[in-house]
PDB file of all heavy atoms in Angstrom:
ATOM      1  N   CYS H 149      13.456  24.262  -5.081  1.00 86.00           N
ATOM      2  CA  CYS H 149      12.134  24.760  -4.769  1.00 86.00           C
ATOM      3  C   CYS H 149      12.147  26.274  -4.728  1.00 86.00           C
ATOM      4  O   CYS H 149      12.500  26.888  -3.695  1.00 86.00           O
ATOM      5  CB  CYS H 149      11.669  24.178  -3.415  1.00 86.00           C
ATOM      6  SG  CYS H 149       9.926  24.523  -3.037  1.00 86.00           S
ATOM      7  N   ASN H 150      11.837  26.869  -5.832  1.00 86.00           N
ATOM      8  CA  ASN H 150      11.943  28.338  -5.963  1.00 86.00           C
ATOM      9  C   ASN H 150      10.897  29.041  -5.100  1.00 86.00           C
ATOM     10  O   ASN H 150       9.731  28.794  -5.196  1.00 86.00           O
ATOM     11  CB  ASN H 150      11.734  28.700  -7.440  1.00 86.00           C
ATOM     12  CG  ASN H 150      11.996  30.181  -7.669  1.00 86.00           C
ATOM     13  OD1 ASN H 150      12.770  30.831  -6.949  1.00 86.00           O
ATOM     14  ND2 ASN H 150      11.331  30.760  -8.674  1.00 86.00           N
ATOM     15  N   GLY H 151      11.382  29.909  -4.232  1.00 87.00           N
ATOM     16  CA  GLY H 151      10.498  30.708  -3.354  1.00 87.00           C
ATOM     17  C   GLY H 151       9.925  29.957  -2.179  1.00 87.00           C
ATOM     18  O   GLY H 151       9.038  30.447  -1.498  1.00 87.00           O
ATOM     19  N   CYS H 152      10.481  28.759  -1.904  1.00 93.00           N
ATOM     20  CA  CYS H 152       9.938  27.970  -0.780  1.00 93.00           C
ATOM     21  C   CYS H 152      10.589  28.419   0.541  1.00 93.00           C
ATOM     22  O   CYS H 152      11.736  28.921   0.527  1.00 93.00           O
ATOM     23  CB  CYS H 152      10.200  26.496  -0.992  1.00 93.00           C
ATOM     24  SG  CYS H 152       9.262  25.795  -2.351  1.00 93.00           S
ATOM     25  N   SER H 153       9.890  28.223   1.591  1.00 95.00           N
ATOM     26  CA  SER H 153      10.383  28.520   2.929  1.00 95.00           C
ATOM     27  C   SER H 153      10.856  27.237   3.673  1.00 95.00           C
ATOM     28  O   SER H 153      10.458  26.144   3.256  1.00 95.00           O
ATOM     29  CB  SER H 153       9.328  29.241   3.762  1.00 95.00           C
ATOM     30  OG  SER H 153       9.072  30.534   3.252  1.00 95.00           O
ATOM     31  N   PRO H 154      11.675  27.375   4.716  1.00 96.00           N
ATOM     32  CA  PRO H 154      12.231  26.190   5.369  1.00 96.00           C
ATOM     33  C   PRO H 154      11.201  25.382   6.138  1.00 96.00           C
ATOM     34  O   PRO H 154      10.092  25.852   6.402  1.00 96.00           O
ATOM     35  CB  PRO H 154      13.279  26.801   6.308  1.00 96.00           C
ATOM     36  CG  PRO H 154      12.772  28.184   6.565  1.00 96.00           C
ATOM     37  CD  PRO H 154      12.135  28.636   5.313  1.00 96.00           C
ATOM     38  N   THR H 155      11.613  24.190   6.512  1.00 97.00           N
ATOM     39  CA  THR H 155      10.834  23.383   7.412  1.00 97.00           C
ATOM     40  C   THR H 155      11.275  23.646   8.839  1.00 97.00           C
ATOM     41  O   THR H 155      12.465  23.696   9.131  1.00 97.00           O
ATOM     42  CB  THR H 155      10.996  21.852   7.111  1.00 97.00           C
ATOM     43  OG1 THR H 155      10.533  21.602   5.799  1.00 97.00           O
ATOM     44  CG2 THR H 155      10.224  20.988   8.089  1.00 97.00           C
ATOM     45  N   LEU H 156      10.329  23.847   9.746  1.00 98.00           N
ATOM     46  CA  LEU H 156      10.599  24.176  11.146  1.00 98.00           C
ATOM     47  C   LEU H 156      10.041  23.100  12.037  1.00 98.00           C
ATOM     48  O   LEU H 156       8.867  22.691  11.872  1.00 98.00           O
ATOM     49  CB  LEU H 156      10.015  25.528  11.486  1.00 98.00           C
ATOM     50  CG  LEU H 156      10.286  26.689  10.508  1.00 98.00           C
ATOM     51  CD1 LEU H 156       9.504  27.915  10.908  1.00 98.00           C
ATOM     52  CD2 LEU H 156      11.795  26.987  10.432  1.00 98.00           C
ATOM     53  N   VAL H 157      10.838  22.646  13.015  1.00 98.00           N
ATOM     54  CA  VAL H 157      10.397  21.565  13.928  1.00 98.00           C
ATOM     55  C   VAL H 157      10.718  21.911  15.353  1.00 98.00           C
ATOM     56  O   VAL H 157      11.861  22.240  15.707  1.00 98.00           O
ATOM     57  CB  VAL H 157      11.045  20.220  13.547  1.00 98.00           C
ATOM     58  CG1 VAL H 157      10.501  19.102  14.445  1.00 98.00           C
ATOM     59  CG2 VAL H 157      10.886  19.867  12.074  1.00 98.00           C
ATOM     60  N   TRP H 158       9.715  21.798  16.234  1.00 98.00           N
ATOM     61  CA  TRP H 158       9.885  21.968  17.652  1.00 98.00           C
ATOM     62  C   TRP H 158       9.703  20.569  18.279  1.00 98.00           C
ATOM     63  O   TRP H 158       8.642  19.950  18.130  1.00 98.00           O
ATOM     64  CB  TRP H 158       8.842  22.917  18.241  1.00 98.00           C
ATOM     65  CG  TRP H 158       9.051  24.365  17.902  1.00 98.00           C
ATOM     66  CD1 TRP H 158       9.641  25.335  18.645  1.00 98.00           C
ATOM     67  CD2 TRP H 158       8.624  25.020  16.683  1.00 98.00           C
ATOM     68  NE1 TRP H 158       9.625  26.526  18.004  1.00 98.00           N
ATOM     69  CE2 TRP H 158       9.003  26.383  16.772  1.00 98.00           C
ATOM     70  CE3 TRP H 158       7.978  24.577  15.530  1.00 98.00           C
ATOM     71  CZ2 TRP H 158       8.757  27.296  15.780  1.00 98.00           C
ATOM     72  CZ3 TRP H 158       7.749  25.530  14.502  1.00 98.00           C
ATOM     73  CH2 TRP H 158       8.120  26.845  14.646  1.00 98.00           C
ATOM     74  N   ASN H 159      10.694  20.080  19.020  1.00 98.00           N
ATOM     75  CA  ASN H 159      10.641  18.750  19.636  1.00 98.00           C
ATOM     76  C   ASN H 159      10.417  18.839  21.134  1.00 98.00           C
ATOM     77  O   ASN H 159      10.909  19.770  21.793  1.00 98.00           O
ATOM     78  CB  ASN H 159      11.963  17.997  19.359  1.00 98.00           C
ATOM     79  CG  ASN H 159      12.143  17.672  17.907  1.00 98.00           C
ATOM     80  OD1 ASN H 159      11.370  16.885  17.341  1.00 98.00           O
ATOM     81  ND2 ASN H 159      13.150  18.267  17.270  1.00 98.00           N
ATOM     82  N   TYR H 160       9.762  17.810  21.701  1.00 98.00           N
ATOM     83  CA  TYR H 160       9.445  17.806  23.130  1.00 98.00           C
ATOM     84  C   TYR H 160       9.808  16.420  23.709  1.00 98.00           C
ATOM     85  O   TYR H 160       9.863  15.419  23.006  1.00 98.00           O
ATOM     86  CB  TYR H 160       7.976  18.112  23.364  1.00 98.00           C
ATOM     87  CG  TYR H 160       7.670  19.550  22.985  1.00 98.00           C
ATOM     88  CD1 TYR H 160       7.362  19.917  21.675  1.00 98.00           C
ATOM     89  CD2 TYR H 160       7.775  20.582  23.940  1.00 98.00           C
ATOM     90  CE1 TYR H 160       7.120  21.226  21.336  1.00 98.00           C
ATOM     91  CE2 TYR H 160       7.532  21.884  23.595  1.00 98.00           C
ATOM     92  CZ  TYR H 160       7.197  22.202  22.294  1.00 98.00           C
ATOM     93  OH  TYR H 160       6.991  23.536  21.960  1.00 98.00           O
ATOM     94  N   PRO H 161      10.044  16.385  25.032  1.00 96.00           N
ATOM     95  CA  PRO H 161      10.541  15.136  25.665  1.00 96.00           C
ATOM     96  C   PRO H 161       9.618  13.939  25.546  1.00 96.00           C
ATOM     97  O   PRO H 161      10.053  12.825  25.627  1.00 96.00           O
ATOM     98  CB  PRO H 161      10.719  15.533  27.141  1.00 96.00           C
ATOM     99  CG  PRO H 161      10.813  17.041  27.159  1.00 96.00           C
ATOM    100  CD  PRO H 161       9.970  17.484  26.003  1.00 96.00           C
ATOM    101  N   ASP H 162       8.296  14.177  25.387  1.00 95.00           N
ATOM    102  CA  ASP H 162       7.350  13.058  25.300  1.00 95.00           C
ATOM    103  C   ASP H 162       7.178  12.542  23.876  1.00 95.00           C
ATOM    104  O   ASP H 162       6.249  11.840  23.547  1.00 95.00           O
ATOM    105  CB  ASP H 162       5.994  13.446  25.873  1.00 95.00           C
ATOM    106  CG  ASP H 162       5.351  14.589  25.049  1.00 95.00           C
ATOM    107  OD1 ASP H 162       6.031  15.173  24.183  1.00 95.00           O
ATOM    108  OD2 ASP H 162       4.172  14.906  25.348  1.00 95.00           O
ATOM    109  N   ASN H 163       8.165  12.888  23.015  1.00 94.00           N
ATOM    110  CA  ASN H 163       8.231  12.449  21.608  1.00 94.00           C
ATOM    111  C   ASN H 163       7.203  13.105  20.722  1.00 94.00           C
ATOM    112  O   ASN H 163       6.941  12.658  19.579  1.00 94.00           O
ATOM    113  CB  ASN H 163       8.090  10.896  21.488  1.00 94.00           C
ATOM    114  CG  ASN H 163       9.261  10.182  22.097  1.00 94.00           C
ATOM    115  OD1 ASN H 163      10.415  10.571  21.890  1.00 94.00           O
ATOM    116  ND2 ASN H 163       8.978   9.143  22.882  1.00 94.00           N
ATOM    117  N   THR H 164       6.552  14.170  21.230  1.00 97.00           N
ATOM    118  CA  THR H 164       5.726  14.962  20.352  1.00 97.00           C
ATOM    119  C   THR H 164       6.523  16.036  19.691  1.00 97.00           C
ATOM    120  O   THR H 164       7.608  16.394  20.190  1.00 97.00           O
ATOM    121  CB  THR H 164       4.577  15.631  21.159  1.00 97.00           C
ATOM    122  OG1 THR H 164       5.129  16.443  22.197  1.00 97.00           O
ATOM    123  CG2 THR H 164       3.629  14.613  21.705  1.00 97.00           C
TER     124      THR H 164
END
Side-chain angles (χ1 to χ4, degrees):
C149 189
N150 187 28
C152 292
S153 292
T155 298
L156 311 174
V157 183
W158 288 261
N159 293 296
Y160 292 87
D162 62 352
N163 294 317
T164 57

